[in-house]
């Protein structure tokens, strides 16, 4: 069953953020837009390229009222070690969540049970903690944070403009559609 439209469940996890260990709960994902970026493992190959790319869009996302959280099944201690030793990861400014008990990976249905690692899943949650978009990629396929920006903007537009929809390849400022009987068969 799809997770779209479902509210994030209760949880409490550890994270590495701004040179500190912190706790994050479902309440931290509410009151603003949130992006959860699950990835398989620290000290790996595709993962640092994705998280570095996401950091490259972080200020833009923050400007849109979005908080970013990366999530893997590594511990928060491993996140700190990776942050301290990787040129790609040392600049990460968003919280790096430890899902060592796999609670979030199960909740968001991205746990690879054979490996015990998270799959590459990206989730956009609205300010109520409701999942609006899901993207899950195979391990060898990295994600593009620029694509994420368009999805966030579309989700925010639709929330502010009920009754309108964003067509394929929609960009901020482009025309939207208002579904009606008059449009049936004309698109």
């Amino acid at each position: 069953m799809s997770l779209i439209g479902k509210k994030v469940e209760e949880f409490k996890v550890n994270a590495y953020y701004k040179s500190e260990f912190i706790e994050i709960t479902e309440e931290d994902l509410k009151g603003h837009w949130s992006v959860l970026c699950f990835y398989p493992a620290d000290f790996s190959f595709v993962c640092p390229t994705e998280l570095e790319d996401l950091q490259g869009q972080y200020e833009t996302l923050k400007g849109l009222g979005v908080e970013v959280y990366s999530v893997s099944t590594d511990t928060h201690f491993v996140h700190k070690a990776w942050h301290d030793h990787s040129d790609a990861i040392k600049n990460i400014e968003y919280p790096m969540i430890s899902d060592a008990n796999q609670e979030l990976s199960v909740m968001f249905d991205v746990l690879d049970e054979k490996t015990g690692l998270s799959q590459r899943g990206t989730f956009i949650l609205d300010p109520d903690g409701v999942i609006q978009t899901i993207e899950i990629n195979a391990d060898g396929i990295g994600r593009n944070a620029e694509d994420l920006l368009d999805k966030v903007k579309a989700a925010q537009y639709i929330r502010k403009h009920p009754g309108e929809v964003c067509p394929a390849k929609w960009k901020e400022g482009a025309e939207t559609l208002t579904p009606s009987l008059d449009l049936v068969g004309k698109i």
Side-chain angles (χ1 to χ4, degrees), residues 157-158 161 163-167 170 175-179:
Y157 184 90
I158 295 307
H161 302 92
E164 293 183 43
V165 296
C166 296
W170 183 84
E175 282 189 46
T176 59
L177 300 171
T178 303

Side-chain angles (χ1 to χ4, degrees), residues 74-114:
D74 296 290
T75 68
H76 52 299
F77 302 111
V78 176
H79 289 336
K80 181 191 182 316
W82 195 29
H83 192 274
D84 290 349
H85 291 92
S86 168
D87 289 338
I89 301 305
K90 70 181 175 186
N91 297 316
I92 299 296
E93 298 174 354
Y94 48 81
M96 300 176 73
I97 293 176
S98 166
D99 188 31
N101 68 1
Q102 303 172 339
E103 177 182 8
L104 291 175
S105 297
V106 168
M107 183 186 306
F108 285 86
D109 199 23
V110 292
L111 181 65
D112 180 332
E113 293 180 9
K114 287 183 182 176

Side-chain angles (χ1 to χ4, degrees), residues 18 44 57 78 135 162:
K18 293 186 177 180
S44 59
Q57 299 298 329
V78 176
E135 175 186 5

